[in-house]
């Protein structure tokens, strides 16, 4: 075949760059920054039980559940993790206190597990 010509090298370089771009576009953009899927929990707003939901929450960020951030209200319970990431739930706000880990894609706990915050990994 001989030595590559400048045109052949340019075509190879462009093809390599386009292949890398195609691969980057094909990978899920949210994989590095979000736990794709929903995370739900139950809380009481004073009129009865309500369901809270975090949709595609950020990864590696502590999230205090807004409905139960105030220590004067009862904590949330019955967490269900349908994200693609592991969820670690905490008894206290700001990811403090006792914790429990829920596996990805369906990990859950009963109403006995009281939670105020969560982090996804």
């Amino acid at each position: 075949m001989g030595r590559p010509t400048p045109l052949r090298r340019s075509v190879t370089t462009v093809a390599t760059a386009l292949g890398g771009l195609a691969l980057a576009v094909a990978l899920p953009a949210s994989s590095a920054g979000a736990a794709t899927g929903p995370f739900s929990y139950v809380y009481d707003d004073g009129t009865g039980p309500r369901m809270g939901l975090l949709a595609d929450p950020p990864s590696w960020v502590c999230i205090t559940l807004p409905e139960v951030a105030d220590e004067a209200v009862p904590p949330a319970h019955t967490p269900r993790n349908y994200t693609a990431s592991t969820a670690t739930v905490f008894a206290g706000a700001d990811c403090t206190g006792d914790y429990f880990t829920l596996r990805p894609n369906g990990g859950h706990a009963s109403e006995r597990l009281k939670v105020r915050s969560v982090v996804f990994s």
Side-chain angles (χ1 to χ4, degrees), residues 9-117:
R9 279 189 294 236
S10 295
V11 169
T12 301
T13 302
V14 169
T16 302
L18 288 175
L21 178 61
L23 179 61
V25 170
L27 294 174
S30 61
S31 65
T36 53
F39 175 84
S40 67
Y41 51 94
V42 177
Y43 66 96
D44 190 330
D45 69 354
T47 64
R50 301 279 184 239
M51 181 174 288
L53 181 71
L54 300 175
D56 299 328
S59 295
W60 305 109
V61 174
C62 177
I63 301 168
T64 297
L65 305 177
E67 301 88 352
V68 297
D70 184 351
E71 293 285 329
V73 301
H77 57 85
T78 319
R80 298 195 179 280
N81 181 25
Y82 293 105
T83 72
S85 301
T86 298
T88 303
V89 295
F90 294 83
D94 301 317
C95 296
T96 59
D98 293 338
Y99 62 90
F100 186 80
T101 302
L102 301 171
R103 65 178 169 75
N105 303 311
H108 60 277
S110 74
E111 65 184 48
R112 293 183 350 194
L113 182 64
K114 308 302 182 191
V115 300
R116 290 190 189 274
S117 57

